[in-house]
């Protein structure tokens, strides 16, 4: 079954009618997290989806695959992963549990952070137009407390990060 994003109304009711279908990624059928933010400066919230392996790929909860979805209209998204997100997959790595949108390099645009219980904290830096390159690991000098979520306000956007 394809992954669907269900949309709710003000009463908290969700329905499959009008659901947004998320494109499949062969071998990475498990979605562990997603985050939404305006990544390319067009005013629309885009999606970053965090996937991990399934039995048809690297195995249960092995590896990661980040999927970048640009908002193309009301409740419509286009997969732009291959064009805009470099080094977005590693079948040999452990799975990453969370995705965070956070300005890691303090340049005013949102970057992508993937982290897990071992505090791997991989990140991808935004070039300012919604294109991302692998930045490496977040320096250990940043304050972190395992399992505690904190609010972070940086520049033009607000995001919840694992601190």
């Amino acid at each position: 079954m394809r992954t669907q994003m269900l949309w709710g109304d003000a009463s908290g009711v969700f329905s499959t009618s009008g659901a947004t279908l998320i494109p499949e990624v062969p071998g990475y059928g498990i979605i562990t997290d997603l985050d939404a933010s305006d990544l390319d400066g067009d005013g629309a919230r885009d999606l970053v989806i965090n996937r991990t392996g399934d039995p048809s790929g690297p195995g249960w909860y092995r590896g990661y695959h980040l999927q970048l979805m640009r908002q193309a209209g009301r409740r419509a998204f286009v997969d732009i992963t291959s064009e805009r997100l470099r080094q977005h997959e590693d079948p040999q790595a452990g799975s990453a549990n969370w995705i965070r949108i956070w300005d890691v390099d303090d340049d005013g645009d949102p970057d992508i952070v993937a982290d897990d219980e071992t505090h791997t904290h991989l990140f991808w830096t935004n070039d300012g137009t919604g294109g991302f390159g692998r930045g490496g690991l977040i320096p250990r000098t940043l304050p972190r407390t395992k399992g505690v979520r904190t609010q972070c306000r940086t520049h033009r956007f607000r995001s919840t990060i694992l601190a």
Side-chain angles (χ1 to χ4, degrees):
M1 173 188 267
R2 296 223 8 224
T3 301
Q4 300 179 47
M5 184 180 311
L6 304 181
W7 301 93
D9 61 23
S11 68
V13 174
F14 292 83
S15 171
T16 55
S17 67
T20 300
L21 293 177
I22 303 297
E24 294 177 328
V25 176
Y28 293 91
I30 301 168
I31 294 176
T32 59
D33 197 15
L34 65 87
D35 206 341
S37 186
D38 180 12
L39 300 173
D40 56 10
D42 66 357
R45 294 181 72 175
D46 308 302
L47 298 177
V48 180
I49 300 171
N50 186 26
R51 293 177 169 274
T52 190
D54 63 30
S56 70
W60 288 111
Y61 292 93
R62 296 258 327 131
Y64 65 83
H65 178 100
L66 300 185
Q67 190 174 18
L68 184 59
M69 306 286 292
R70 180 180 56 80
Q71 190 173 146
R74 188 173 189 271
R75 299 183 179 175
F77 296 87
V78 175
D79 191 336
I80 58 169
T81 306
S82 60
E83 300 92 41
R84 307 296 288 165
L85 183 59
R86 293 183 299 280
Q87 297 177 309
H88 60 273
E89 179 179 305
D90 185 349
Q92 302 303 315
S95 66
N97 296 334
W98 302 286
I99 280 294
R100 304 287 177 244
I101 306 299
W102 179 29
D103 189 4
V104 174
D105 56 5
D106 201 29
D107 65 354
D109 48 35
D111 304 311
I112 300 170
V113 179
D115 58 27
D116 61 22
E117 68 277 353
T118 62
H119 293 299
T120 303
H121 295 295
L122 298 171
F123 71 97
W124 290 259
T125 56
N126 190 332
D127 65 8
T129 67
F132 294 86
R134 178 81 175 273
L137 296 174
I138 293 178
R140 294 278 181 198
T141 56
L142 292 177
R144 289 182 257 170
T145 305
K146 184 176 178 179
V148 177
R149 296 181 96 161
T150 59
Q151 293 295 315
C152 175
R153 182 179 298 279
T154 49
H155 303 285
R156 301 177 309 206
F157 60 95
R158 180 180 175 144
S159 179
T160 302
I161 62 168
L162 185 70

